Amino acid sequence: LVSHNQFQFIGNLTRDADVRHSESGSSRAIFDLAVNRVWRNSSGEKQEQTDFFRIKAFSALAENAGKYLGKGSKVFVQGRVEPTKFEKEGKTEYGIDFIAEQIEYLDTKAPGGQ
């Protein structure tokens, strides 16, 4: 039996990619992706919903996201899902991080409206 941990999204950035640099010099970019879903309900009526995902990218992938990905850019993102666990006000909170391993630029908009 083989394990598999991967996501694939095509969507649009809801804001410019935000790149941060650590003291050690490594880069991390975070961007929010809007992904539209369309389906038909039991009556055959078209239904639509937009889901939002926070994506993290690291190193060269992060640097390129910061240079080329502004609000409205359409991208294909593939990567892995990473569970998170942290303490908040004495309670353990759980979440999920979406870590980009590949980003394909489908229709880019310059960051900062340039």
Side-chain angles (χ1 to χ4, degrees), residues 4 11 17 21-22 24-25 36-37 41-42 55 69 78 89 108:
H4 185 74
H21 300 90
S22 71
S24 66
N36 296 322
R37 282 192 292 143
N41 66 15
S42 58
I55 310 294
L69 296 181
Q78 180 173 301
E89 299 175 5
T108 59

Side-chain angles (χ1 to χ4, degrees), residues 47 58 68 91:
Q47 304 289 303
F58 296 93
Y68 303 112
K91 289 179 59 179

